[in-house]
Amino acid sequence: MGNGKYYEIYNLKFMKNTLLTLLFLIFCAVFLALGIRGIVGNPTSDRINDAVWKDEGPFELSPERGRFALTFSIIENSSVYFPVPIARFATPDLGFKDGNYVSLFAPGVSFVIIPGYLIGKIFSIAQVGTFAVISLFALFNAFLIRSIAIRLKASPVAATIAALVFLFATPAFAYAVSLFQHHISTFLILLSIYIYVRFSSIWWLGIIWFLIALSVPIDYPNLVLMAPIGFFALGRLLLIEKGKTVFNLKIKLVGFLTLLTVIFPLSFFIWFNSVSYGNPLQLSGTIPTVKAIDEQGLPTAPKEVGTQSIESLTNPQQQDKSAVRFFKTRNLLNGFFTHFISFDRGIIYFTPVILFGLLGITLLGKINYRFLALFLSITGFNVLLYSMWGDPWGGWAFGSRYLIPSYAILSILLAFALTIYKKNILFLLFFFVVLAYSISVNTLGAITTSRNPPQVEILALEKLSGKVEKYTYFRNLDILDDNRLKSFVFESIAKNYISAWQYYIFIVGSIAGVNLWLLIYLKFLKGEKV
């Protein structure tokens, strides 16, 4: 074959792959946009505590309110301290330090969403703009999952399906259209993995160290989740070679200069802690907590105090908090049960399709056991960490939100499972049935609510409400029956033409239909080898 013919074929293949990637991104972006939660208007200090913004609106959970409160205060008040209306909006997850109301969350997300807030504010949709930033990171994650799987020799079609599974068939969908840290954390993990897989030069390690350090102000547990990546990257600076009688250790001293990149994100972290808490090493999670604010703007006890003393609530300075006290090995059994098989959060009920990823372990192990070890380490750290967490349910949530990084890793492995069994018609049929179920469940969570109580709170909740309370995704079905959605597109446009059920069926049918077409294409595709 002549060089001209070779380059012609190469260019055609490149153009085809580019077009398919573009179509993939457009499809993902469109259906993420259909799910983004929000309402028209810019929240203001005197209206932000209205029900239309909180329980009945997009800021239905306190982690969303707490992070948005910091963004709002920085932009509108030029301060990291919260005025009373914004502090009241952030409760019950509100910090109190030296007489000031402050953020109880790591600051990174609140700063990352600032561009979305400013752009959205121009069009009177500041809240939608901030949520859209999270959707953008979710889109990046789908792209990285697909890219990593292809780079590791999975079928490109299988990799595309796997990326769609992560985005639309796991609880990642619900948290891609709201204001949580999970997709930003997952992006940092996936980008670090991609750099580690794609580039072998030690100078690229500087970016990996930078991303690991940057993950800390996004969410403190990220340091644990990204630790395996750090250890594997460090292995490129410490080489062990087997000699005739001994092992020799070679150290690339120049490569350790790449560690200097951690200075930039850690400097930001130290600056924020100094300004907010008066201590550069103070973690936000160790700040005294305010659950409610009285009419005079002072800390008070909420109506339902629970087991916490009233004195510690009205005088937050008396609280003794620790960053590690909430992690206990005695919680492991309950944590495993909650994340995997419980009715209110378990993978088996919310996203069983992701478990097919376990079938891809064998093939990836044959291709590159080192990368498989990295993937399993990240997943193991993720599961262990949040199984020891005192609140494995993630508060009021949809599915197991803490395991979103693991869903991403399992999606990469899923690409290899589909590559292995792509000619097995029975496997593909069974896979599609489970996939369609998972898409149906997680679309419910995306367009209705993530505000589902854990089972352990049901008895107390029923006592307060005086009615039977649901705690699985059947709670989301009730919202759908009431023709109420949190989707910005539905509430501002689509509800004038179609019902909530029709909107839901359109999204589920479209996503499932595209995946079915890709599975059929994968089944009859020829020429792909692993």
Side-chain angles (χ1 to χ4, degrees):
M1 182 186 296
N3 287 337
K5 186 67 174 178
Y6 171 82
Y7 285 117
E8 181 180 346
I9 294 174
Y10 175 83
N11 288 333
L12 286 173
K13 185 177 181 180
F14 175 79
M15 291 176 63
K16 177 184 176 182
N17 291 337
T18 302
L19 178 61
L20 290 175
T21 301
L22 184 60
L23 290 174
F24 163 76
L25 291 174
I26 291 173
F27 177 83
C28 292
V30 167
F31 283 90
L32 283 173
L34 292 178
I36 292 177
R37 299 172 185 174
I39 57 177
V40 175
N42 294 329
T44 59
S45 294
D46 58 340
R47 296 296 305 275
I48 199 169
N49 285 289
D50 292 352
V52 69
W53 286 111
K54 295 176 71 174
D55 291 348
E56 296 176 7
F59 297 110
E60 57 185 8
L61 295 167
S62 58
E64 296 173 291
R65 298 198 296 270
R67 291 184 171 91
F68 186 82
L70 179 57
T71 302
F72 185 93
S73 192
I74 290 171
I75 299 301
E76 304 298 342
N77 304 311
S78 301
S79 175
V80 296
Y81 301 134
F82 300 167
V84 172
I86 305 304
R88 191 171 280 122
F89 171 74
T91 56
D93 289 328
L94 174 67
F96 189 78
K97 182 68 173 179
D98 298 329
N100 295 306
Y101 294 116
V102 293
S103 174
L104 200 62
F105 296 95
V109 175
S110 299
F111 280 85
V112 169
I113 62 175
I114 285 176
Y117 180 95
L118 294 174
I119 295 172
K121 186 178 180 180
I122 297 173
F123 301 97
S124 193
I125 49 171
Q127 168 270 312
V128 177
T130 60
F131 282 37
V133 173
I134 305 301
S135 295
L136 186 61
F137 277 97
L139 182 64
F140 292 158
N141 288 335
F143 175 76
L144 285 169
I145 287 170
R146 182 177 182 271
S147 300
I148 292 169
I150 293 173
R151 187 73 191 176
L152 294 176
K153 309 300 182 184
S155 160
V157 179
T160 302
I161 296 170
L164 292 174
V165 166
F166 167 76
L167 201 55
F168 299 117
T170 74
F173 194 5
Y175 297 97
V177 296
S178 53
L179 185 54
F180 282 81
Q181 79 279 14
H182 305 297
H183 275 285
I184 301 179
S185 299
T186 302
F187 170 76
L188 297 174
I189 292 171
L190 291 175
L191 182 57
S192 298
I193 291 174
Y194 180 79
I195 292 171
Y196 181 77
V197 171
R198 176 68 176 81
F199 304 104
S200 58
S201 170
I202 61 172
W203 298 111
W204 283 95
L205 297 180
I207 300 179
I208 294 179
W209 309 133
F210 175 84
L211 295 173
I212 292 173
L214 183 61
S215 74
V216 176
I218 295 297
D219 195 26
Y220 304 138
N222 286 342
L223 185 61
V224 176
L225 301 187
M226 297 192 73
I229 302 172
F231 289 136
F232 275 75
L234 191 62
R236 290 185 174 172
L237 301 179
L238 304 172
L239 303 178
I240 300 177
E241 296 180 350
K242 184 178 181 181
K244 291 182 178 181
T245 58
V246 295
F247 288 93
N248 299 315
L249 175 64
K250 291 186 176 181
I251 302 175
K252 297 182 179 180
L253 292 176
V254 177
F256 281 91
L257 292 174
T258 59
L259 288 167
L260 294 175
T261 57
V262 306
I263 293 174
F264 302 103
L266 292 184
S267 296
F268 161 75
F269 182 60
I270 290 171
W271 165 81
F272 178 83
N273 290 342
S274 299
V275 173
S276 296
Y277 316 129
N279 183 346
L281 301 180
Q282 178 88 58
L283 300 180
S284 59
T286 63
I287 296 297
T289 304
V290 173
K291 298 295 184 182
I293 299 175
D294 63 20
E295 294 182 358
Q296 286 73 42
L298 300 175
T300 187
K303 294 180 180 179
E304 296 297 323
V305 176
T307 58
Q308 195 167 357
S309 70
I310 294 179
E311 182 66 21
S312 67
L313 293 172
T314 55
N315 295 288
Q317 299 90 335
Q318 296 183 4
Q319 297 173 19
D320 180 23
K321 299 180 68 177
S322 168
V324 298
R325 192 175 296 165
F326 215 40
F327 294 97
K328 298 177 181 178
T329 54
R330 71 179 69 171
N331 296 329
L332 279 172
L333 188 60
N334 180 60
F336 290 148
F337 173 80
T338 300
H339 293 308
F340 289 97
I341 59 178
S342 67
F343 286 108
D344 50 356
R345 299 292 185 266
I347 287 176
I348 289 178
Y349 296 101
F350 282 84
T351 177
V353 68
I354 205 66
L355 296 176
F356 283 96
L358 297 175
L359 299 176
I361 291 176
T362 302
L363 180 55
L364 181 56
K366 292 179 180 178
I367 295 173
N368 196 311
Y369 69 88
R370 186 159 47 96
F371 293 139
L372 175 62
L374 174 59
F375 293 164
L376 295 181
S377 297
I378 296 170
T379 304
F381 275 44
N382 188 193
V383 173
L384 282 173
L385 181 69
Y386 285 108
S387 292
M388 290 190 293
W389 183 243
D391 177 22
W393 305 278
W396 286 41
F398 185 85
S400 184
R401 64 185 179 92
Y402 291 139
L403 297 190
I404 287 178
S406 291
Y407 302 150
I409 299 298
L410 286 170
S411 295
I412 297 173
L413 294 173
L414 175 59
F416 289 94
L418 291 170
T419 301
I420 297 171
Y421 299 105
K422 63 183 180 180
K423 299 302 180 183
N424 188 322
I425 186 67
L426 292 178
F427 171 83
L428 293 179
L429 285 173
F430 180 57
F431 173 80
F432 177 72
V433 170
V434 178
L435 173 59
Y437 165 84
S438 298
I439 292 171
S440 301
V441 168
N442 289 285
T443 301
L444 267 178
I447 65 175
T448 58
T449 182
S450 300
R451 201 166 178 262
N452 290 356
Q455 186 179 9
V456 295
E457 294 187 18
I458 284 299
L459 292 179
L461 185 61
E462 289 179 341
K463 186 177 180 180
L464 287 173
S465 66
K467 63 179 182 179
V468 175
E469 296 285 353
K470 297 177 181 178
Y471 55 89
T472 68
Y473 55 78
F474 286 103
R475 191 180 184 93
N476 301 82
L477 283 171
D478 289 344
I479 295 176
L480 199 61
D481 286 335
D482 290 341
N483 206 45
R484 295 183 291 118
L485 299 182
K486 294 292 179 73
S487 163
F488 171 73
V489 172
F490 178 80
E491 287 298 320
S492 58
I493 302 173
K495 73 175 182 181
N496 297 319
Y497 306 98
I498 59 176
S499 68
W501 266 104
Q502 289 171 324
Y503 191 77
Y504 167 74
I505 291 171
F506 169 73
I507 294 176
V508 171
S510 299
I511 297 172
V514 167
N515 277 282
L516 177 59
W517 180 85
L518 287 171
L519 285 169
I520 293 172
Y521 184 65
L522 180 66
K523 170 69 175 71
F524 295 103
L525 184 64
K526 296 180 180 180
E528 282 192 341
K529 296 181 180 180
V530 180

